[in-house]
Amino acid sequence: DAEITQSPRHKITETGRQVTLACHQTWNHNNMFWYRQDLGHGLRLIHYSYGVQDTNKGEVSDGYSVSRSNTEDLPLTLESAASSQTSVYFCASSDWDRGTAYEQYFGPGTRLTVT
Amino acid sequence: TQLLEQSPQFLSIQEGENLTVYCNSSSVFSSLQWYRQEPGEGPVLLVTVVTGGEVKKLKRLTFQFGDARKDSSLHITAAQPGDTGLYLCAGTLGGNAGGTSYGKLTFGQGTILTVHP
């Protein structure tokens, strides 16, 4: 069965360190998204990609970067981790077809704590 | 300011009761989704509505999209403990299915529902 996986599931890091969160999908979806989830804010879009070599900034992109070298993976990098980036991070993907592009499939999430 | 306002934020009810969750905006959405999320997991899509006034039913869940496509509601009949979770509405802005809004979702804050046995 097709799926979307994230690793690690839990991560504790120190302020100032670089951290990379992995996202891998086997749906063969062109669109991939990274969100953070904080209490009272729902899900906020960090970065997204419509295909290989394409990346775009979301509403809360400062301090984060992504790269898309293949269809399956969209790793999220925190350049210099800050305590404000303590959150739960979700990766999602959707099909290119305009009829289903808004139906996103989510990974299980990564809980990141920055101390 | 949240583009999509969900209410209530918290809902605690007894098994068998009915409930309604609302999702409101001053903006027009070309489509709107409802997701359900359980602790430690990612959101799972329940339904997509795209036409103003559209009503969709999924067993005991009824979803409605407002006529002006600015609001939506989720009604659960005879709630069960298995319905407990976080319910999120999410929409795509505007009537343009392509362009800068393509595939992007704006989420409400969520409604935490607890159904007690």
Side-chain angles (χ1 to χ4, degrees):
Chain A
D1 285 351
E3 61 178 356
I4 180 165
T5 57
Q6 294 183 236
S7 62
R9 293 296 312 276
H10 301 271
K11 174 79 176 177
I12 300 174
T13 191
E14 294 177 347
T15 300
R17 292 200 179 234
Q18 184 180 78
V19 177
T20 296
L21 309 183
C23 174
H24 179 81
Q25 54 98 3
T26 58
W27 292 98
N28 199 33
H29 284 163
N30 284 94
N31 306 333
M32 294 185 74
F33 308 84
W34 272 105
Y35 296 91
R36 59 179 289 173
Q37 185 173 40
D38 305 286
L39 193 63
H41 290 280
L43 286 154
R44 292 183 291 176
L45 184 63
I46 305 172
H47 282 286
Y48 59 102
S49 168
Y50 289 141
V52 176
Q53 303 301 332
D54 175 76
T55 61
N56 305 279
K57 294 181 178 180
E59 62 176 304
V60 290
S61 61
D62 286 349
Y64 304 94
S65 64
V66 293
S67 62
R68 188 92 179 268
S69 59
N70 58 53
T71 299
E72 296 79 17
D73 299 288
L74 187 70
L76 176 71
T77 297
L78 285 69
E79 305 293 346
S80 176
S83 57
S84 59
Q85 294 177 309
T86 292
S87 185
V88 182
Y89 291 85
F90 288 98
C91 180
S93 69
S94 69
D95 199 1
W96 178 255
D97 186 303
R98 290 189 183 280
T100 57
Y102 309 105
E103 298 181 348
Q104 296 186 8
Y105 294 82
F106 284 81
T110 294
R111 182 174 294 276
L112 176 68
T113 303
V114 183
T115 61
Chain B
T1 304
Q2 200 81 16
L3 205 56
L4 269 174
E5 294 285 345
Q6 266 187 256
S7 61
Q9 274 195 280
F10 303 93
L11 200 50
S12 180
I13 62 172
Q14 294 296 126
E15 182 175 1
E17 293 183 5
N18 301 332
L19 66 109
T20 302
V21 178
Y22 299 93
C23 181
N24 295 297
S25 176
S26 56
S27 301
V28 174
F29 288 87
S30 59
S31 71
L32 198 135
Q33 288 80 34
W34 284 92
Y35 291 81
R36 179 167 171 263
Q37 184 179 13
E38 297 196 33
E41 299 181 8
V44 174
L45 179 67
L46 295 174
V47 76
T48 299
V49 286
V50 296
T51 306
E54 183 175 4
V55 177
K56 281 192 174 179
K57 292 192 175 184
L58 189 66
K59 296 183 181 177
R60 293 176 294 100
L61 278 61
T62 301
F63 304 87
Q64 186 162 6
F65 201 13
D67 291 340
R69 292 185 292 142
K70 292 183 178 181
D71 56 88
S72 181
S73 63
L74 157 61
H75 182 78
I76 301 179
T77 303
Q80 299 176 359
D83 295 326
T84 292
L86 173 66
Y87 289 81
L88 294 157
C89 65
T92 301
L93 282 169
N96 180 15
T100 58
S101 292
Y102 176 69
K104 289 166 58 179
L105 295 177
T106 298
F107 281 83
Q109 319 96 305
T111 295
I112 298 175
L113 170 64
T114 304
V115 182
H116 301 280

